[in-house]
Amino acid sequence: MKKQKSFRKLIGLLVSSIVLCSPTVAQSAGHKHSKQGAVTSTLCAKADSPASLKCGRGVSAVFDNKGRLWLAWAFAGHVYVNFSDNKGKTYSSPIAVNKTPEPIAAKAESPVKIVVDQQGKLFISWTMKLPKRFSGHIRFSRSIDGGENFSTPVTVNDHLEVTSHRFESMAVNDRGEVFIAWLDKRDLLAAKKAGKAYTGAAVYYTYSDNHGQSFHPNIKITDSSCECCRTAMTIDRDGLPIILWRHIFGKNTRDHALVKLIDKDLVGNVRRASFDNWKVDGCPHHGPSISSSDEGIYHLTWFNNAPERHGLFYAHTKDKGKTFSTAINIGNYKAAASHPQVLSTGENVYLLWKEFDGKQSSLMTMHSSDKGNNWSVPKVLLQSSSANDHPLLIHDGQQVYAAWHRRGEDYRLLLLQK
Amino acid sequence: MKSLLWFSLFWALSINAVAEQQIKNFTSGSYEQIAKQYQDQPFVMVLWSLDCPPCYKELELLANERKRYDFNLVLISTDGADASIEVATVLMKYKLHDVDNWLFEKSSAQPLRYEIDPLWYGELPRSYLFDKENQRQAISGVLNSSQLSK
């Protein structure tokens, strides 16, 4: 028995050393590093180097009501938060949110999230990777002392089997109630066990009405969401969230759906929000964005790639998703226009997206000053040849900014003109 | 028990060998190289990734079709070089390790995607069916066997 154990140990050691020492892929002829790429990869390759925003992953940004810019991002198993009091010229030293490292699934399509309430309490969420492929838990931490200390992270999905709970979105209302929605495969898992078919994932949410101290039991919104696109959430005039996601209609039509909560525990009707009929049994990795105006108009932007209707789209609804304006195409489809964001303040609506010409990514914007009816011509804000995240739109109560993370470079905050 | 352990060791060694020797580094110029290599021959080029659930359906379909008849198959994983062991494990599982396998140098790198096709938005799986004149047809999502047999 003892002999067998030591033999097993030896084999275990051998196997792990083979896997750990494995070289990367074979080199093919003509392998060239771009100069910039090589510099970036050296700069950001060392896991034991100090936490750096430049090399961080899945960066999110938000202003508090005093105009302080807060960033949250992942680096080497930790989520970090830092801030800027001069609109991104300089930043504070980062503070680790989770003291114990854990595997964090922070990518451009699924970044760390940060929101702040009227009292300056900070709420952070992210997806923790689990050992099985496509699996994860939604994690949450808060700071009630202005970012000096963060609570020990908790898992907010109350189904804890190893399956997918990922692609969360989070928002906080003026009452300090925190809402988190995500894509969840607990029903797929149950269907599999029962030998039944199940399409896609489900959308679940939870909320906290004690400033993030604890969360209510999870509530299901619907079955059959697409399983690998970011979800989007915004707060309506009544303080309740609207959630937008890519849904699977019928067998494989991947259009969008939205829902507005009627009360904190009460889910409204799920309504179809895009009608492009993209039939694809695949992963777009390309989620939508939503913003609600002071008047209760919901502004939506998304990507689809159906043969007849493709590219980026914008539309709005004045009746909570019963009817929509005619969707307009935005951006240049032939220049890879992608990953759009929308933000409305008063009668102004801003759109932001990326384009790519083979070498450079361009950050693009356009603006409407009449609630999304008429639009300016698109404008290039910034170009970059570095690998980059999806851009974000944020506002400080007075002005709107584009925020953009480019790996290995300074974080950029760009003021948008009305 | 011993035979199981020896099998595990053999399996780990094989995965390592596939990662090291059979998966080529897909970098700038690789697409051109592939197109040149299969000039005047029909071939199927499929892009896939570890984090795309439908891609596994696609790999299964391709493995099954290859049992029925032989065709030139180029598989390109977009996961990035640091995922080579995991990519090799999946290829071994589907017995697709002996086809023409490539792995993106960097995960989902937009410049590499753009070299293949400026109108490909990164959705996966993404397949290109090349005829013998090297004219290609792009298909997003899992293929079906009738599309392959054309």
Side-chain angles (χ1 to χ4, degrees):
Chain A
M1 189 66 189
K2 207 175 172 187
K3 199 177 162 191
Q4 203 175 47
K5 259 192 183 170
S6 53
F7 178 70
R8 204 182 298 171
K9 246 187 195 170
L10 175 73
I11 295 293
L13 268 175
L14 269 170
V15 170
S16 54
S17 63
I18 287 159
V19 171
L20 286 173
C21 299
S22 158
T24 51
V25 292
Q27 303 289 304
S28 71
H31 175 163
K32 279 180 203 160
H33 264 303
S34 72
K35 202 178 169 191
Q36 194 160 20
V39 170
T40 306
S41 57
T42 314
L43 178 73
C44 295
K46 290 181 187 164
D48 57 348
S49 54
S52 119
L53 171 60
K54 277 187 183 180
C55 303
R57 290 190 178 272
V59 185
S60 281
V62 69
F63 281 107
D64 68 18
N65 61 8
K66 292 183 180 138
R68 176 174 278 185
L69 172 70
W70 291 94
L71 301 184
W73 36 278
F75 181 90
H78 293 276
V79 167
Y80 289 93
V81 167
N82 59 349
F83 63 84
S84 169
D85 283 328
N86 51 18
K87 303 284 184 266
K89 286 194 189 89
T90 56
Y91 288 92
S92 66
S93 303
I95 291 180
V97 172
N98 55 315
K99 305 300 175 219
T100 310
E102 60 184 55
I104 296 166
K107 286 184 175 182
E109 186 68 9
S110 180
V112 174
K113 314 294 179 313
I114 179 165
V115 295
V116 54
D117 74 5
Q118 293 296 322
Q119 301 165 337
K121 293 189 177 75
L122 294 162
F123 308 103
I124 321 290
S125 72
W126 66 92
T127 302
M128 178 174 80
K129 273 196 252 181
L130 299 174
K132 219 173 121 195
R133 201 167 287 142
F134 316 129
S135 64
H137 285 331
I138 308 297
R139 306 281 281 163
F140 174 86
S141 171
R142 66 169 185 166
S143 171
I144 53 172
D145 58 7
E148 284 187 29
N149 294 284
F150 286 87
S151 61
T152 304
V154 292
T155 297
V156 299
N157 46 287
D158 56 15
H159 171 269
L160 296 173
E161 281 185 71
V162 178
T163 188
S164 180
H165 315 89
R166 301 189 298 159
F167 297 101
E168 89 282 5
S169 49
M170 176 168 62
V172 61
N173 63 18
D174 288 348
R175 300 187 285 271
E177 294 164 336
V178 184
F179 297 86
I180 305 178
W182 65 91
L183 305 182
D184 194 309
K185 286 193 176 167
R186 70 182 76 178
D187 299 289
L188 169 69
L189 204 62
K192 267 189 184 166
K193 282 178 187 165
K196 290 180 186 162
Y198 187 94
T199 306
V203 186
Y204 276 74
Y205 81 96
T206 184
Y207 69 93
S208 169
D209 48 12
N210 55 11
H211 307 282
Q213 196 180 330
S214 61
F215 282 85
H216 282 259
N218 298 174
I219 298 173
K220 183 172 168 177
I221 294 174
T222 185
D223 288 307
S224 300
S225 67
C226 189
E227 55 204 301
C228 41
C229 292
R230 70 182 180 197
T231 58
M233 187 191 284
T234 189
I235 300 289
D236 202 351
R237 284 184 297 177
D238 59 2
L240 292 165
I242 313 145
I243 303 147
L244 176 70
W245 67 93
R246 188 185 291 280
H247 196 72
I248 305 177
F249 294 91
K251 195 179 169 213
N252 248 326
T253 302
R254 292 181 195 238
D255 260 307
H256 297 82
L258 70 76
V259 77
K260 157 83 172 60
L261 297 195
I262 296 167
D263 204 341
K264 287 188 296 245
D265 293 297
L266 193 58
V267 179
N269 290 326
V270 172
R271 299 189 186 278
R272 185 163 176 169
S274 71
F275 303 85
D276 307 316
N277 290 316
W278 188 17
K279 291 183 176 63
V280 61
D281 186 5
C283 278
H285 295 119
H286 212 142
S289 169
I290 185 165
S291 181
S292 171
S293 78
D294 306 340
E295 283 180 55
I297 301 174
Y298 305 168
H299 300 273
L300 286 72
T301 183
W302 67 90
F303 164 79
N304 259 339
N305 208 3
E308 303 297 322
R309 290 179 57 77
H310 47 245
L312 302 184
F313 295 93
Y314 161 84
H316 56 255
T317 169
K318 295 175 179 169
D319 51 16
K320 303 187 188 305
K322 286 184 201 138
T323 59
F324 288 87
S325 64
T326 304
I328 57 163
N329 249 144
I330 58 166
N332 181 357
Y333 178 72
K334 290 186 175 164
S338 61
H339 305 295
Q341 284 279 321
V342 63
L343 183 70
S344 73
T345 58
E347 300 199 339
N348 294 293
V349 191
Y350 299 83
L351 284 163
L352 183 72
W353 68 94
K354 293 196 296 188
E355 294 187 357
F356 188 68
D357 67 3
K359 289 191 173 101
Q360 297 245 23
S361 294
S362 298
L363 192 58
M364 307 292 297
T365 185
M366 59 197 264
H367 168 251
S368 164
S369 52
D370 63 357
K371 308 175 194 176
N373 293 312
N374 293 286
W375 289 89
S376 67
V377 290
K379 184 178 136 191
V380 182
L381 282 173
L382 186 65
Q383 291 192 307
S384 174
S385 54
S386 303
N388 50 71
D389 275 7
H390 307 343
L392 303 169
L393 281 168
I394 53 172
H395 67 114
D396 63 0
Q398 289 162 342
Q399 290 174 304
V400 172
Y401 297 82
W404 202 22
H405 177 53
R406 300 155 303 151
R407 202 160 157 73
E409 295 195 49
D410 290 332
Y411 196 73
R412 287 300 299 268
L413 194 69
L414 299 139
L415 178 65
L416 299 187
Q417 305 296 333
K418 279 182 190 167
Chain B
M1 179 57 83
K2 267 192 187 177
S3 60
L4 182 70
L5 291 171
W6 280 117
F7 177 76
S8 308
L9 179 62
F10 173 73
W11 184 250
L13 282 168
S14 310
I15 288 168
N16 194 53
V18 167
E20 199 179 335
Q21 291 156 21
Q22 286 179 254
I23 307 177
K24 282 169 272 187
N25 186 35
F26 192 97
T27 184
S28 182
S30 298
Y31 173 65
E32 205 181 332
Q33 193 184 328
I34 291 168
K36 211 169 168 185
Q37 185 184 338
Y38 295 95
Q39 216 171 8
D40 311 325
Q41 308 173 53
F43 72 102
V44 178
M45 184 174 90
V46 175
L47 292 117
W48 68 284
S49 85
L50 294 166
D51 64 355
C52 148
C55 291
Y56 298 87
K57 275 202 263 179
E58 176 98 339
L59 294 178
E60 195 174 348
L61 172 103
L62 292 167
N64 287 336
E65 291 300 304
R66 276 174 55 81
K67 280 182 209 155
R68 290 173 53 206
Y69 58 99
D70 195 26
F71 59 96
N72 293 321
L73 177 60
V74 180
L75 286 179
I76 307 169
S77 152
T78 63
D79 290 293
D82 53 1
S84 64
I85 291 291
E86 221 182 330
V87 167
T89 309
V90 172
L91 293 171
M92 291 274 286
K93 186 185 164 199
Y94 287 94
K95 298 190 172 63
L96 287 167
H97 51 281
D98 58 348
V99 308
D100 192 358
N101 275 301
W102 298 74
L103 175 60
F104 267 27
E105 182 183 35
K106 282 183 190 164
S107 167
S108 309
Q110 192 163 26
L112 296 180
R113 284 202 271 123
Y114 192 92
E115 271 189 34
I116 294 167
D117 182 356
L119 294 183
W120 171 38
Y121 276 71
E123 65 271 18
L124 292 169
R126 174 82 164 180
S127 305
Y128 294 89
L129 311 180
F130 287 78
D131 63 19
K132 60 178 192 285
E133 276 85 40
N134 267 34
Q135 295 296 309
R136 69 183 193 181
Q137 183 197 354
I139 298 166
S140 289
V142 179
L143 292 169
N144 56 48
S145 30
S146 65
Q147 285 167 317
L148 265 180
S149 58
K150 271 181 193 172

